[in-house]
Amino acid sequence: MSTAIEIRSAVKRYGTTTALHSISLEIADNEFFTLLGPSGCGKTTLLRCIAGFEDLNEGEIRLFGRDIARLDPNHRPVNTVFQQYALFPHMTVLENVAFGLKMKGMGLADRTARAGKMLEMVHLSAFANRMPAQLSGGQQQRVALARALAPEPKVLLLDEPLSALDLKLRQAMRVELKTLQEQSGITFVFVTHDQEEALTMSDRIAVMSQGRVQQVGSARDIYEAPVNRFVADFIGETNLLEVTVDTVSGAVAKVTLPGGQKITCPAAQGVMPGKHHLSIRPERISLAAEGELEAVVERIVYLGTDLQILTHLTTGEAFHVRMQNLARIALPAPGDRVALQIEEGAARLLAD
């Protein structure tokens, strides 16, 4: 698969503050690639550098092999969809979608046909003659997407485009966005702070923190095999336990748990013997007659399909268990002492 975007040692500074610390990434053609991280991590800055709204202080950005760092935004074969849809209120939906084509000099018949095709793709053909104010938030978002896709950019940049929508609409739009990307064959670079969005839609994810890329991989890679505490804690829920690493052999380590039990587990690259942290996802723990950890139940939280069992280990650490809500299971009561069994391969030793 060919490379759509290549970022080499990108550095961006604002005065004495460094927003991007020598970032290097490759994004494949026709890939749904997500930049994920908390506010202020540099993800939007990186997106703006690709778009041309910000200039790098060091490094370069290549689009299909061509250095675009010195090209003005309007000369780059990319389009951007922002949080605010910025539709023209005095134009119809069809006119909004056709606007970029008009600016490129396309004739009326051709741009009308192209805009109509885009509206069909986003399931809004019946709304072509309506004004933006007559549309719901989700419909306006789809119009903004159709407008951005109409000129057939090589890359579509999306800066938290779903953040203004309510939860149910946001969930529905995730599916539509991924479908749209697959149908269009265009590379999508998506910025979000929402872990569930990233896991749901992305072919690959770059997790960012403090202007640095912490890990790049598929949703499964990022969730199942985080490399450090930040990634493990930011993606979904996890239990982080400080353990003593006795020995490391390749990608496997032998560790001593807080209660003295010893287990063997997969280890991130670069871990050495000594004190490190273990990541164990709550759904990979079960209550059992015997287990590697002893805990006391504090509370059981009802989540509909799931139950969250909040405990603390007998050594003092907080520890959460998540399990399916099955009526036939006898549950412990607050104050009960329980044994926790770690699913084989579920504990992951992190490079702190």
Side-chain angles (χ1 to χ4, degrees):
M1 186 176 290
S2 63
T3 300
I5 301 172
E6 186 177 4
I7 301 166
R8 298 179 180 175
S9 304
V11 175
K12 177 62 183 176
R13 302 185 193 94
Y14 296 100
T16 58
T17 301
T18 302
L20 301 176
H21 295 265
S22 193
I23 286 180
S24 294
L25 285 172
E26 287 191 9
I27 301 172
D29 187 19
N30 195 23
E31 182 174 30
F32 197 120
F33 191 92
T34 296
L35 302 171
L36 171 67
S39 297
C41 73
K43 57 188 185 295
T44 293
T45 298
L46 183 56
L47 196 81
R48 289 177 63 82
C49 289
I50 297 171
F53 302 136
E54 303 281 356
D55 294 325
L56 294 177
N57 294 103
E58 299 173 28
E60 61 181 0
I61 297 173
R62 292 183 171 273
L63 186 67
F64 293 94
R66 182 189 180 192
D67 187 353
I68 61 169
R70 291 172 179 79
L71 290 180
D72 291 335
N74 59 316
H75 291 138
R76 299 186 184 202
V78 303
N79 266 349
T80 307
V81 178
F82 299 100
Q83 293 180 30
Q84 304 303 321
Y85 316 134
L87 299 178
F88 299 114
H90 61 287
M91 294 184 183
T92 66
V93 166
L94 185 69
E95 289 168 342
N96 264 280
V97 176
F99 181 78
L101 303 175
K102 182 180 181 180
M103 292 300 98
K104 287 181 172 290
M106 185 179 287
L108 176 61
D110 288 340
R111 68 176 183 258
T112 300
R114 175 69 182 164
K117 183 179 179 182
M118 289 298 98
L119 287 177
E120 187 178 338
M121 183 179 285
V122 297
H123 310 295
L124 287 176
S125 297
F127 297 82
N129 294 318
R130 291 198 187 182
M131 307 303 285
Q134 297 175 295
L135 304 181
S136 68
Q139 289 167 339
Q140 290 183 39
Q141 179 60 273
R142 296 210 295 273
V143 174
L145 284 167
R147 184 177 63 183
L149 288 168
E152 298 183 303
K154 291 186 176 181
V155 173
L156 186 65
L157 309 175
L158 303 108
D159 186 10
E160 305 214 39
L162 308 183
S163 60
L165 305 179
D166 63 53
L167 178 60
K168 285 216 165 190
L169 190 51
R170 206 158 63 236
Q171 290 171 335
M173 281 299 297
R174 290 171 193 166
V175 177
E176 289 198 27
L177 260 184
K178 181 57 180 170
T179 302
L180 198 59
Q181 187 266 328
E182 291 171 343
Q183 288 176 346
S184 66
I186 293 173
T187 301
F188 277 28
V189 183
F190 185 87
V191 161
T192 185
H193 64 274
D194 188 311
Q195 303 95 323
E196 191 173 313
E197 275 185 7
L199 294 172
T200 302
M201 297 186 292
S202 311
D203 295 315
R204 284 191 306 146
I205 301 166
V207 183
M208 296 182 63
S209 174
Q210 298 182 336
R212 292 180 170 87
V213 173
Q214 302 294 315
Q215 186 173 354
V216 180
S218 68
R220 184 176 292 275
D221 291 338
I222 297 289
Y223 187 82
E224 300 289 350
V227 296
N228 58 33
R229 271 190 291 171
F230 177 83
V231 175
D233 196 35
F234 189 74
I235 303 292
E237 293 181 79
T238 196
N239 295 293
L240 293 172
L241 292 181
E242 187 175 66
V243 297
T244 300
V245 180
D246 302 318
T247 62
V248 182
S249 177
V252 177
K254 292 184 178 179
V255 306
T256 302
L257 298 175
Q261 287 270 30
K262 294 183 181 292
I263 65 168
T264 299
C265 64
Q269 188 175 2
V271 175
M272 302 292 288
K275 295 290 186 182
H276 287 280
H277 282 84
L278 204 64
S279 169
I280 311 171
R281 299 292 183 187
E283 70 274 13
R284 306 288 293 276
I285 303 290
S286 58
L287 307 181
E290 294 183 357
E292 294 86 357
L293 298 167
E294 297 287 329
V296 176
V297 175
E298 293 180 354
R299 181 181 305 218
I300 297 177
V301 180
Y302 178 80
L303 298 171
T305 58
D306 289 359
L307 297 172
Q308 187 179 45
I309 302 174
L310 310 181
T311 78
H312 64 267
L313 303 183
T314 50
T315 49
E317 297 90 345
F319 203 88
H320 296 175
V321 178
R322 193 160 181 145
M323 58 191 292
Q324 276 192 294
N325 179 20
L326 301 174
R328 64 178 179 273
I329 294 178
L331 295 174
D336 285 355
R337 196 179 179 103
V338 294
L340 304 178
Q341 187 173 58
I342 304 170
E343 185 181 312
E344 186 175 352
R348 167 90 175 166
L349 188 62
L350 307 173
D352 293 349

